[in-house]
């Protein structure tokens, strides 16, 4: 082979290598030639560019699912029940080291604050509409954030002669948080939120009336659809004027999104599929049998004479007993007809397995184990249920932390500022030590027990080896540890007065050295394995 021929061959190999390499990438997921990925070219936009143009559609569809889909409604209720529950209590924890206090002083101060806070939070004094307490407002705000993506509250100063407090919360539907038409196009105002160069909110723009109330407005009220109010985010001295609850998933995200955005398509299609299967099964259940005739038109005409239609009708009337298919029945059939039984194809035998797979996917998109999402624990034993609930509670604890930081603590700071300025609470240097005074925790509804004996034993062991405290264990069950101790003292004194023996608490707890009774599911699995091994041995 000559020199020119070798060079030509090398050039051909290089060209072939370049051609082959054009369709290859370091990451297969970035391939543009793979048939499965070739048409997948999503736009790499900013957080707001990806979300805000489609937020209205996502919100309206999310609301429709919440209204009409049982699984969606149940999933939202599961979130509300486990994130907040039926208990909401303040646990004031001032940073006594920063304040130069002793722990006893901090505890006494916190107990006083908690008592006054309950007089506001456990009544409708906290609601500008005078209908809900703080627990109700919190559940409502959490539901709005999950369905709409945002929840908004405006703190108002509304003194009333029948209330010692003037701080009240006015919840506003997030649809009213919109950019006025005359400010559209401004880079630092996005969907009603005005922010500075660092991304901190400066003000919020609210439509005077809900855009969905156009049919109900009369007279001058119609003009409210064209009016906007600009509300600063903070007062000059730092008091919050708007509480905007939303979950940020990307840096620079202005608004939140509905919790079901990632699985909205599956939700909708699964609901339609289930409805169609139900309708088909209902239609099939109405048909027991049908009549068939194999007569051609000429034969039918010859058989029924001059008026075939009337003759056929008379024949059918004679077969009315076909409506009752029962034993020992003689069924007369019309002339030239035979009866054929109907075998329906519903319910679909694969329906349950298919819906189970879809619901597991939807449950994962809502950050819930399937068992908790569908309220279906029929397929699990204690160990599996416990593992599922532990995974769920990691998520719920995170959401509680988020709700406390972005909703409850700002509300507590608003109330405490009023209480300090009114002289109800003594807090020297409050504005200079705001963090130290407003440090707190909130106690939510208890998570309950799967197996009370096992879990109480575990709590007892945690207390004994010092990895937990009575405060933590009581908080897990939605209780205040000091109130528990005070109640125990009251009960002990009353028992002594009545001459009753104190309950032997040690007898209520199973010894940690005692073997646990096996779960029934585990026992059944063991018996099946043993029987299978015995059969193999005999073989």
């Amino acid at each position: 082979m000559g020199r020119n021929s070798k060079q030509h061959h090398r050039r051909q190999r290089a060209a072939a290598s370049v051609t082959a390499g054009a369709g290859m990438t370091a990451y297969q997921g970035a391939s543009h030639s793979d048939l499965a990925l070739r048409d997948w070219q999503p736009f790499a936009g900013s957080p707001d560019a990806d979300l805000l143009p489609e937020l209205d559609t996502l919100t309206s569809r999310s609301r429709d699912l919440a209204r009409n889909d049982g699984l969606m409604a149940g999933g939202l209720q599961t979130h509300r029940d486990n994130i907040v529950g039926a208990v909401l209590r303040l646990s004031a924890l001032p940073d006594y080291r920063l304040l130069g206090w002793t722990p006893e002083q901090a505890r006494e101060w916190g107990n006083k604050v908690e008592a006054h806070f309950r007089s506001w939070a456990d009544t409708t004094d906290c609601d500008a509409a005078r209908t809900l307490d703080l627990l109700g407002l919190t559940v409502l705000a959490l539901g709005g954030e999950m369905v709409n993506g945002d929840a908004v509250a405006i703190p108002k100063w509304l003194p009333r002669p029948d209330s010692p407090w003037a701080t009240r919360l006015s919840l506003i539907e997030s649809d009213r948080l919109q950019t006025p038409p005359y400010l559209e196009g401004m880079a630092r105002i996005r969907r009603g939120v005005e922010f500075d160069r660092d991304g901190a909110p400066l003000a919020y723009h609210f439509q005077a009336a809900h855009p969905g109330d156009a049919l109900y407005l009369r007279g001058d009220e119609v003009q409210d659809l064209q009016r906007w109010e600009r509300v600063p985010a903070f007062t000059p001295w730092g008091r919050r004027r708007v509480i905007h609850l939303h979950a940020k998933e990307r840096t620079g995200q202005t608004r939140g999104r509905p919790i079901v955005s990632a699985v909205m398509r599956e939700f909708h299609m699964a609901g339609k599929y289930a409805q169609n299967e139900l309708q088909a099964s209902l239609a099939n259940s109405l048909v027991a049998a049908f009549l068939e005739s194999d007569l051609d038109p000429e034969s039918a005409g010859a058989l029924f004479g001059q008026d075939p239609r009337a003759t056929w009708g008379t024949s059918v009337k004679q077969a009315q007993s076909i409506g009752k298919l029962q034993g020992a029945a003689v069924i007369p059939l019309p002339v030239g007809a035979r009866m054929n039984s109907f075998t329906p194809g519903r319910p679909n035998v694969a329906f349950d397995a298919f819906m189970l797979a879809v619901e597991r996917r939807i449950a994962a998109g809502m950050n819930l184990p399937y068992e908790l999402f569908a309220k279906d624990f029929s397929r699990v034993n204690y160990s599996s249920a416990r593992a599922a609930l532990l995974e769920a509670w990691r998520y719920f604890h995170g959401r509680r932390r988020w709700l406390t930081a972005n909703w409850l603590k700002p509300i507590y700071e608003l109330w405490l500022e009023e209480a300090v300025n009114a002289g109800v609470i003594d807090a020297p240097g409050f504005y200079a030590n705001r963090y130290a005074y407003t440090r707190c925790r909130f106690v939510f509804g208890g998570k309950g027990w799967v197996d009370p004996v096992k879990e109480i034993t575990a709590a007892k062991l945690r207390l004994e080896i010092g990895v937990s405290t009575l405060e933590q264990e009581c908080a897990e069950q939605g209780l205040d540890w000091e109130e528990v101790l005070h109640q125990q003292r009251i009960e002990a004194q009353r028992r002594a007065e009545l001459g009753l023996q104190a309950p032997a608490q040690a007898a209520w707890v199973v010894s940690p050295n005692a073997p646990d009774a096996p779960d029934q599911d585990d026992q059944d699995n063991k018996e099946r394995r043993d029987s299978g091994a015995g059969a193999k041995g005999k073989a």
Side-chain angles (χ1 to χ4, degrees), residues 187-190 193-203 230 233-234:
R188 293 182 187 166
I189 302 180
R190 298 183 182 178
V193 181
E194 181 181 345
F195 50 89
D196 61 16
R197 291 180 178 273
D198 297 320
L202 290 177
R230 181 182 183 273
F234 298 91

Side-chain angles (χ1 to χ4, degrees), residues 84-195:
V84 180
V87 176
L88 185 62
R89 303 174 60 92
L90 169 69
S91 178
L93 303 170
D95 196 323
Y96 61 89
R97 292 183 178 88
L98 289 178
L99 297 173
W101 293 355
T102 63
E104 290 73 19
Q105 287 177 308
R107 186 171 64 251
E108 184 61 31
W109 186 88
N111 290 337
K112 181 179 179 180
V113 169
E114 292 169 12
H116 285 289
F117 183 77
R118 285 194 295 269
S119 71
W120 177 78
D122 292 351
T123 67
T124 58
D125 284 351
C126 62
D127 184 9
R130 309 185 75 169
T131 56
L132 298 173
D133 58 8
L134 183 59
L135 173 61
L137 293 174
T138 301
V139 172
L140 187 60
L142 179 62
E145 188 274 335
M146 290 190 293
V147 175
N148 304 329
D150 304 81
V152 181
I154 296 183
K156 294 185 176 181
W157 188 264
L158 299 174
R160 291 172 182 158
D162 60 340
S163 173
W165 309 107
T167 298
R168 316 196 190 277
L169 301 174
S170 177
L171 263 63
I172 293 180
E173 185 85 1
S174 60
D175 292 5
R176 292 175 56 188
L177 183 57
Q178 297 286 349
T179 302
Y182 51 85
L183 295 179
E184 287 285 357
M186 296 188 65
R188 293 182 187 166
I189 302 180
R190 298 183 182 178
R191 288 300 291 259
V193 181
E194 181 181 345
F195 50 89

Side-chain angles (χ1 to χ4, degrees), residues 277-321:
E277 281 292 323
L278 180 60
Q279 291 173 355
S281 298
L282 178 61
N284 290 338
S285 69
L286 301 177
V287 181
F290 53 87
L291 300 178
E292 290 184 351
S293 176
D294 55 2
L295 295 177
D296 56 81
E298 290 77 10
S299 300
L303 183 63
F304 295 114
Q306 298 297 324
D307 192 359
R309 183 181 301 276
T311 305
W312 173 260
T314 302
S315 181
V316 170
K317 289 180 180 179
Q318 296 173 355
Q320 292 297 323
S321 60

Side-chain angles (χ1 to χ4, degrees), residues 11 157 184 270 287 305 353 446 484 488 521:
R11 285 196 298 269
W157 188 264
E184 287 285 357
V287 181
V484 170
Q488 288 179 351
D521 293 341

